[in-house]
Amino acid sequence: MSTDAERHNPTGWSGVLDLISATAFLLAALSVGTAFTEGVGPGLFLLGGVGVAALLWIRVRQEHEAWAAYGLTAVALVCTAFPSGGPYAYVLLVVAVALLGFVVGLGAALGAVAIIVLTLALTLVATYDPGLLDTVRQTAGVAALLLVGAGFGGLLRTLDRARSTALHRGMELETTNERLRAALVTEREFVLAQERARSARELHDGLGHRLTLVAMSLQYAERMQDRDPVKAWAEVATAASTNQGALDLMRLWARALDPPPHAAGVGGAAAFDAIAEAFRGTGLDVAVTHRGSDDSLPEQISLFATRFVQEGLTNVLRHADATRVTVDFLQSPQQVRIALRDDGRGAAVPHDGFGLRSLRERAAALGGTLTSGVVVDGGWQLVVVLPLSDDHVPALVGEAT
């Protein structure tokens, strides 16, 4: 028995088989009228046979029952014995064989064809006693029609199986995708939680430590202001210097956690001027160079490029202990290449964190590549190459920074 998907989602070719079946039953109904002209008995018998065949056909099409397909084939074969209904019943027999191939399989349909042809040949010999050649001629046409029906039914079965498999795998794929999306959300939330915890630790160990030193220095100065004013004022100067370091660290985190907004529709080096200026406020020397086209970047590329520069400069501030960063922007009609290079401690820069992993995935989704690593003469380099059209220029990727 077939699955619900097979019953309620028939292929287009199944509709063709239903149309042929409707034609066959219409011809069979006409043959019943002819049979009644020969006598009530033959008419009633043929009417009963066509009725039973109709019920079996409905059972086959709705439930795909094998026994109903075999029964329909047998009833159609019996109907061919009536002189008035025989020619029309052969069409119904072809339909029955096709349904047998569709429901049970091509092998069963071919076996039924062999039995039907042998039965017709023996009936012909027993009734009319023709010669061997005449018997072959009279049964060859019926055999050819039945083989076409069997082949058509077998083809329908193969198509239905393939469609059912595709539907099943499609549902499995959708379920898997849903699980992956849920897992990705969970993983991102977990990584974000880790990043927040790490940021909190760095703020506590960095900014919190400096503020604690400021408080201790001021308390010491307060105690020493009467006994040793010189030491007291020296400690106040130390507190002021420590406080300035705390302010610098706070500005760094402000740039990292709340970078400047993306400028929509801006292309070329101008897209990064606001970002560079914001990070220069932390004491970092950021130089932006531009080569190539000044055309505006597509919205998705422009947004990604902005996030790329923000993330790269943030990592330099937080990890590289650098004083200078160059942002090299190279744009052609085919692609854009952006390289960030600093003069800091390249070996101390950590491997991909959540930010860089996210950028790498987004670059791949845009058809580009993102690479990072230590530069030979010192420092760290982060490079992204994004296509602007299908015909990108590979040579552009390899140009020196």
Side-chain angles (χ1 to χ4, degrees), residues 5 27 44-45 55 90 95 104 120 131 142 157 162 190 194 220 244 248 252 326 362 366 370 392:
L27 294 175
L44 290 175
F45 194 88
L55 293 175
Y90 282 115
V95 170
V104 182
L120 292 176
V142 176
R157 180 180 176 84
F190 177 71
Q194 288 183 318
Y220 179 79
Q244 184 59 49
D248 292 339
L252 186 153
T326 59
R362 291 172 61 188
L366 293 172
L370 187 147
H392 59 277

PDB file of all heavy atoms in Angstrom, residues 5 27 44-45 55 90 95 104 120 131 142 157 162 190 194 220 244 248 252 326 362 366 370 392:
ATOM      1  N   ALA A   5       1.307  10.563   0.802  1.00  0.00           N
ATOM      2  CA  ALA A   5       1.860  11.490  -0.189  1.00  0.00           C
ATOM      3  C   ALA A   5       1.670  10.954  -1.592  1.00  0.00           C
ATOM      4  O   ALA A   5       1.402  11.703  -2.532  1.00  0.00           O
ATOM      5  CB  ALA A   5       3.356  11.717   0.094  1.00  0.00           C
ATOM      6  N   LEU A  27     -16.336   3.712 -23.542  1.00  0.00           N
ATOM      7  CA  LEU A  27     -16.479   2.714 -24.611  1.00  0.00           C
ATOM      8  C   LEU A  27     -17.126   1.445 -24.072  1.00  0.00           C
ATOM      9  O   LEU A  27     -17.943   0.801 -24.768  1.00  0.00           O
ATOM     10  CB  LEU A  27     -15.110   2.407 -25.216  1.00  0.00           C
ATOM     11  CG  LEU A  27     -14.427   3.568 -25.966  1.00  0.00           C
ATOM     12  CD1 LEU A  27     -13.026   3.159 -26.401  1.00  0.00           C
ATOM     13  CD2 LEU A  27     -15.265   3.976 -27.174  1.00  0.00           C
ATOM     14  N   LEU A  44     -26.901  -7.977 -19.166  1.00  0.00           N
ATOM     15  CA  LEU A  44     -26.755  -7.870 -17.718  1.00  0.00           C
ATOM     16  C   LEU A  44     -25.376  -8.348 -17.258  1.00  0.00           C
ATOM     17  O   LEU A  44     -24.758  -7.757 -16.350  1.00  0.00           O
ATOM     18  CB  LEU A  44     -27.856  -8.669 -17.023  1.00  0.00           C
ATOM     19  CG  LEU A  44     -29.275  -8.096 -17.136  1.00  0.00           C
ATOM     20  CD1 LEU A  44     -30.276  -9.050 -16.498  1.00  0.00           C
ATOM     21  CD2 LEU A  44     -29.350  -6.722 -16.473  1.00  0.00           C
ATOM     22  N   PHE A  45     -24.899  -9.415 -17.872  1.00  0.00           N
ATOM     23  CA  PHE A  45     -23.598  -9.957 -17.470  1.00  0.00           C
ATOM     24  C   PHE A  45     -22.484  -8.948 -17.762  1.00  0.00           C
ATOM     25  O   PHE A  45     -21.603  -8.698 -16.926  1.00  0.00           O
ATOM     26  CB  PHE A  45     -23.333 -11.270 -18.212  1.00  0.00           C
ATOM     27  CG  PHE A  45     -22.204 -12.057 -17.619  1.00  0.00           C
ATOM     28  CD1 PHE A  45     -22.432 -12.966 -16.585  1.00  0.00           C
ATOM     29  CD2 PHE A  45     -20.915 -11.891 -18.080  1.00  0.00           C
ATOM     30  CE1 PHE A  45     -21.394 -13.691 -16.030  1.00  0.00           C
ATOM     31  CE2 PHE A  45     -19.871 -12.604 -17.518  1.00  0.00           C
ATOM     32  CZ  PHE A  45     -20.107 -13.513 -16.489  1.00  0.00           C
ATOM     33  N   LEU A  55     -15.729  -0.331  -9.878  1.00  0.00           N
ATOM     34  CA  LEU A  55     -15.481  -0.330  -8.436  1.00  0.00           C
ATOM     35  C   LEU A  55     -14.024  -0.691  -8.123  1.00  0.00           C
ATOM     36  O   LEU A  55     -13.394  -0.079  -7.242  1.00  0.00           O
ATOM     37  CB  LEU A  55     -16.423  -1.308  -7.745  1.00  0.00           C
ATOM     38  CG  LEU A  55     -17.916  -0.939  -7.769  1.00  0.00           C
ATOM     39  CD1 LEU A  55     -18.757  -2.058  -7.145  1.00  0.00           C
ATOM     40  CD2 LEU A  55     -18.162   0.372  -7.038  1.00  0.00           C
ATOM     41  N   TYR A  90     -10.946  -4.436 -24.755  1.00  0.00           N
ATOM     42  CA  TYR A  90      -9.484  -4.463 -24.868  1.00  0.00           C
ATOM     43  C   TYR A  90      -8.858  -3.155 -24.391  1.00  0.00           C
ATOM     44  O   TYR A  90      -7.757  -3.134 -23.818  1.00  0.00           O
ATOM     45  CB  TYR A  90      -9.058  -4.762 -26.310  1.00  0.00           C
ATOM     46  CG  TYR A  90      -9.177  -6.226 -26.666  1.00  0.00           C
ATOM     47  CD1 TYR A  90     -10.083  -6.664 -27.630  1.00  0.00           C
ATOM     48  CD2 TYR A  90      -8.382  -7.176 -26.028  1.00  0.00           C
ATOM     49  CE1 TYR A  90     -10.200  -8.005 -27.952  1.00  0.00           C
ATOM     50  CE2 TYR A  90      -8.496  -8.522 -26.349  1.00  0.00           C
ATOM     51  CZ  TYR A  90      -9.407  -8.929 -27.313  1.00  0.00           C
ATOM     52  OH  TYR A  90      -9.515 -10.264 -27.614  1.00  0.00           O
ATOM     53  N   VAL A  95      -5.862  -0.481 -19.829  1.00  0.00           N
ATOM     54  CA  VAL A  95      -5.879   0.350 -18.621  1.00  0.00           C
ATOM     55  C   VAL A  95      -5.576  -0.487 -17.382  1.00  0.00           C
ATOM     56  O   VAL A  95      -4.814  -0.077 -16.490  1.00  0.00           O
ATOM     57  CB  VAL A  95      -7.234   1.075 -18.486  1.00  0.00           C
ATOM     58  CG1 VAL A  95      -7.358   1.745 -17.118  1.00  0.00           C
ATOM     59  CG2 VAL A  95      -7.409   2.095 -19.595  1.00  0.00           C
ATOM     60  N   VAL A 104       1.652  -2.381  -8.628  1.00  0.00           N
ATOM     61  CA  VAL A 104       2.441  -3.542  -8.200  1.00  0.00           C
ATOM     62  C   VAL A 104       3.866  -3.475  -8.730  1.00  0.00           C
ATOM     63  O   VAL A 104       4.832  -3.737  -8.013  1.00  0.00           O
ATOM     64  CB  VAL A 104       1.759  -4.855  -8.640  1.00  0.00           C
ATOM     65  CG1 VAL A 104       2.559  -6.058  -8.138  1.00  0.00           C
ATOM     66  CG2 VAL A 104       0.329  -4.906  -8.121  1.00  0.00           C
ATOM     67  N   LEU A 120      -5.655 -15.561 -24.681  1.00  0.00           N
ATOM     68  CA  LEU A 120      -6.325 -15.159 -25.919  1.00  0.00           C
ATOM     69  C   LEU A 120      -5.962 -16.103 -27.064  1.00  0.00           C
ATOM     70  O   LEU A 120      -6.813 -16.469 -27.880  1.00  0.00           O
ATOM     71  CB  LEU A 120      -5.968 -13.719 -26.268  1.00  0.00           C
ATOM     72  CG  LEU A 120      -6.508 -12.637 -25.316  1.00  0.00           C
ATOM     73  CD1 LEU A 120      -5.991 -11.264 -25.744  1.00  0.00           C
ATOM     74  CD2 LEU A 120      -8.026 -12.652 -25.298  1.00  0.00           C
ATOM     75  N   GLY A 131      -4.626 -21.174 -38.175  1.00  0.00           N
ATOM     76  CA  GLY A 131      -3.258 -21.642 -38.243  1.00  0.00           C
ATOM     77  C   GLY A 131      -2.365 -20.853 -37.294  1.00  0.00           C
ATOM     78  O   GLY A 131      -2.752 -19.838 -36.716  1.00  0.00           O
ATOM     79  N   VAL A 142      -2.768  -7.037 -29.983  1.00  0.00           N
ATOM     80  CA  VAL A 142      -3.201  -6.947 -28.584  1.00  0.00           C
ATOM     81  C   VAL A 142      -1.988  -6.960 -27.652  1.00  0.00           C
ATOM     82  O   VAL A 142      -1.909  -6.198 -26.679  1.00  0.00           O
ATOM     83  CB  VAL A 142      -4.149  -8.117 -28.252  1.00  0.00           C
ATOM     84  CG1 VAL A 142      -4.521  -8.085 -26.769  1.00  0.00           C
ATOM     85  CG2 VAL A 142      -5.397  -8.044 -29.114  1.00  0.00           C
ATOM     86  N   ARG A 157       4.990   4.382 -11.985  1.00  0.00           N
ATOM     87  CA  ARG A 157       5.424   3.909 -10.667  1.00  0.00           C
ATOM     88  C   ARG A 157       6.800   4.478 -10.323  1.00  0.00           C
ATOM     89  O   ARG A 157       7.040   4.935  -9.200  1.00  0.00           O
ATOM     90  CB  ARG A 157       5.456   2.382 -10.656  1.00  0.00           C
ATOM     91  CG  ARG A 157       5.904   1.791  -9.318  1.00  0.00           C
ATOM     92  CD  ARG A 157       5.893   0.267  -9.412  1.00  0.00           C
ATOM     93  NE  ARG A 157       6.395  -0.346  -8.202  1.00  0.00           N
ATOM     94  CZ  ARG A 157       5.658  -0.572  -7.123  1.00  0.00           C
ATOM     95  NH1 ARG A 157       4.380  -0.232  -7.115  1.00  0.00           N
ATOM     96  NH2 ARG A 157       6.187  -1.143  -6.051  1.00  0.00           N
ATOM     97  N   ALA A 162      10.051   8.285  -7.265  1.00  0.00           N
ATOM     98  CA  ALA A 162      11.048   9.353  -7.229  1.00  0.00           C
ATOM     99  C   ALA A 162      10.482  10.617  -6.580  1.00  0.00           C
ATOM    100  O   ALA A 162      11.153  11.281  -5.781  1.00  0.00           O
ATOM    101  CB  ALA A 162      11.543   9.667  -8.649  1.00  0.00           C
ATOM    102  N   PHE A 190      25.400  31.556  23.110  1.00  0.00           N
ATOM    103  CA  PHE A 190      26.438  31.079  24.015  1.00  0.00           C
ATOM    104  C   PHE A 190      27.740  31.854  23.822  1.00  0.00           C
ATOM    105  O   PHE A 190      28.383  32.279  24.789  1.00  0.00           O
ATOM    106  CB  PHE A 190      26.676  29.579  23.781  1.00  0.00           C
ATOM    107  CG  PHE A 190      27.787  28.994  24.607  1.00  0.00           C
ATOM    108  CD1 PHE A 190      27.635  28.815  25.975  1.00  0.00           C
ATOM    109  CD2 PHE A 190      28.985  28.633  24.016  1.00  0.00           C
ATOM    110  CE1 PHE A 190      28.664  28.277  26.735  1.00  0.00           C
ATOM    111  CE2 PHE A 190      30.018  28.106  24.768  1.00  0.00           C
ATOM    112  CZ  PHE A 190      29.853  27.928  26.131  1.00  0.00           C
ATOM    113  N   GLN A 194      29.706  34.395  26.304  1.00  0.00           N
ATOM    114  CA  GLN A 194      31.128  34.298  26.624  1.00  0.00           C
ATOM    115  C   GLN A 194      31.835  35.618  26.368  1.00  0.00           C
ATOM    116  O   GLN A 194      32.695  36.049  27.152  1.00  0.00           O
ATOM    117  CB  GLN A 194      31.777  33.188  25.790  1.00  0.00           C
ATOM    118  CG  GLN A 194      31.398  31.781  26.223  1.00  0.00           C
ATOM    119  CD  GLN A 194      32.127  30.744  25.399  1.00  0.00           C
ATOM    120  OE1 GLN A 194      32.263  30.873  24.184  1.00  0.00           O
ATOM    121  NE2 GLN A 194      32.607  29.700  26.057  1.00  0.00           N
ATOM    122  N   TYR A 220      45.728  58.183  50.233  1.00  0.00           N
ATOM    123  CA  TYR A 220      47.082  58.376  50.750  1.00  0.00           C
ATOM    124  C   TYR A 220      47.431  59.859  50.800  1.00  0.00           C
ATOM    125  O   TYR A 220      48.024  60.353  51.781  1.00  0.00           O
ATOM    126  CB  TYR A 220      48.086  57.617  49.875  1.00  0.00           C
ATOM    127  CG  TYR A 220      49.512  57.785  50.317  1.00  0.00           C
ATOM    128  CD1 TYR A 220      50.020  57.049  51.393  1.00  0.00           C
ATOM    129  CD2 TYR A 220      50.362  58.685  49.660  1.00  0.00           C
ATOM    130  CE1 TYR A 220      51.337  57.207  51.809  1.00  0.00           C
ATOM    131  CE2 TYR A 220      51.683  58.848  50.062  1.00  0.00           C
ATOM    132  CZ  TYR A 220      52.156  58.109  51.138  1.00  0.00           C
ATOM    133  OH  TYR A 220      53.457  58.274  51.558  1.00  0.00           O
ATOM    134  N   GLN A 244      43.740  59.414  33.929  1.00  0.00           N
ATOM    135  CA  GLN A 244      43.794  59.627  32.485  1.00  0.00           C
ATOM    136  C   GLN A 244      43.876  58.294  31.738  1.00  0.00           C
ATOM    137  O   GLN A 244      43.239  58.105  30.697  1.00  0.00           O
ATOM    138  CB  GLN A 244      45.005  60.498  32.124  1.00  0.00           C
ATOM    139  CG  GLN A 244      45.098  60.858  30.646  1.00  0.00           C
ATOM    140  CD  GLN A 244      43.889  61.616  30.161  1.00  0.00           C
ATOM    141  OE1 GLN A 244      43.472  62.593  30.795  1.00  0.00           O
ATOM    142  NE2 GLN A 244      43.314  61.197  29.021  1.00  0.00           N
ATOM    143  N   ASP A 248      41.256  56.859  28.996  1.00  0.00           N
ATOM    144  CA  ASP A 248      41.649  56.326  27.683  1.00  0.00           C
ATOM    145  C   ASP A 248      41.070  54.925  27.471  1.00  0.00           C
ATOM    146  O   ASP A 248      40.594  54.582  26.376  1.00  0.00           O
ATOM    147  CB  ASP A 248      43.169  56.272  27.569  1.00  0.00           C
ATOM    148  CG  ASP A 248      43.792  57.666  27.512  1.00  0.00           C
ATOM    149  OD1 ASP A 248      43.053  58.621  27.168  1.00  0.00           O
ATOM    150  OD2 ASP A 248      44.991  57.785  27.809  1.00  0.00           O
ATOM    151  N   LEU A 252      38.362  53.613  24.669  1.00  0.00           N
ATOM    152  CA  LEU A 252      38.615  52.441  23.824  1.00  0.00           C
ATOM    153  C   LEU A 252      37.394  51.519  23.821  1.00  0.00           C
ATOM    154  O   LEU A 252      36.945  51.070  22.756  1.00  0.00           O
ATOM    155  CB  LEU A 252      39.847  51.695  24.339  1.00  0.00           C
ATOM    156  CG  LEU A 252      40.370  50.507  23.524  1.00  0.00           C
ATOM    157  CD1 LEU A 252      41.873  50.342  23.789  1.00  0.00           C
ATOM    158  CD2 LEU A 252      39.656  49.215  23.865  1.00  0.00           C
ATOM    159  N   THR A 326      46.986  50.733   8.960  1.00  0.00           N
ATOM    160  CA  THR A 326      46.660  51.184   7.604  1.00  0.00           C
ATOM    161  C   THR A 326      45.456  50.402   7.099  1.00  0.00           C
ATOM    162  O   THR A 326      45.384  49.184   7.258  1.00  0.00           O
ATOM    163  CB  THR A 326      47.844  50.986   6.638  1.00  0.00           C
ATOM    164  OG1 THR A 326      48.194  49.606   6.590  1.00  0.00           O
ATOM    165  CG2 THR A 326      49.049  51.803   7.086  1.00  0.00           C
ATOM    166  N   ARG A 362      29.957  35.705   6.872  1.00  0.00           N
ATOM    167  CA  ARG A 362      29.237  36.667   6.046  1.00  0.00           C
ATOM    168  C   ARG A 362      29.975  36.943   4.739  1.00  0.00           C
ATOM    169  O   ARG A 362      29.348  37.126   3.684  1.00  0.00           O
ATOM    170  CB  ARG A 362      29.029  37.966   6.823  1.00  0.00           C
ATOM    171  CG  ARG A 362      28.063  37.830   7.973  1.00  0.00           C
ATOM    172  CD  ARG A 362      28.028  39.061   8.837  1.00  0.00           C
ATOM    173  NE  ARG A 362      27.593  40.238   8.089  1.00  0.00           N
ATOM    174  CZ  ARG A 362      27.628  41.476   8.571  1.00  0.00           C
ATOM    175  NH1 ARG A 362      28.062  41.684   9.798  1.00  0.00           N
ATOM    176  NH2 ARG A 362      27.208  42.489   7.841  1.00  0.00           N
ATOM    177  N   LEU A 366      28.623  36.213   0.831  1.00  0.00           N
ATOM    178  CA  LEU A 366      28.646  37.200  -0.255  1.00  0.00           C
ATOM    179  C   LEU A 366      29.528  36.756  -1.407  1.00  0.00           C
ATOM    180  O   LEU A 366      29.734  37.515  -2.357  1.00  0.00           O
ATOM    181  CB  LEU A 366      29.117  38.554   0.280  1.00  0.00           C
ATOM    182  CG  LEU A 366      28.168  39.255   1.264  1.00  0.00           C
ATOM    183  CD1 LEU A 366      28.847  40.490   1.860  1.00  0.00           C
ATOM    184  CD2 LEU A 366      26.869  39.640   0.579  1.00  0.00           C
ATOM    185  N   LEU A 370      37.935  35.787   3.453  1.00  0.00           N
ATOM    186  CA  LEU A 370      38.550  36.586   4.516  1.00  0.00           C
ATOM    187  C   LEU A 370      39.722  35.798   5.069  1.00  0.00           C
ATOM    188  O   LEU A 370      39.576  34.634   5.443  1.00  0.00           O
ATOM    189  CB  LEU A 370      37.533  36.897   5.606  1.00  0.00           C
ATOM    190  CG  LEU A 370      37.988  37.859   6.710  1.00  0.00           C
ATOM    191  CD1 LEU A 370      36.817  38.690   7.215  1.00  0.00           C
ATOM    192  CD2 LEU A 370      38.605  37.101   7.894  1.00  0.00           C
ATOM    193  N   HIS A 392      34.964  38.243 -11.749  1.00  0.00           N
ATOM    194  CA  HIS A 392      35.952  38.926 -10.932  1.00  0.00           C
ATOM    195  C   HIS A 392      37.347  38.655 -11.456  1.00  0.00           C
ATOM    196  O   HIS A 392      37.588  37.745 -12.228  1.00  0.00           O
ATOM    197  CB  HIS A 392      35.832  38.506  -9.466  1.00  0.00           C
ATOM    198  CG  HIS A 392      36.002  37.045  -9.241  1.00  0.00           C
ATOM    199  ND1 HIS A 392      34.989  36.135  -9.404  1.00  0.00           N
ATOM    200  CD2 HIS A 392      37.083  36.344  -8.875  1.00  0.00           C
ATOM    201  CE1 HIS A 392      35.423  34.926  -9.152  1.00  0.00           C
ATOM    202  NE2 HIS A 392      36.694  35.031  -8.834  1.00  0.00           N
TER     203      HIS A 392
END
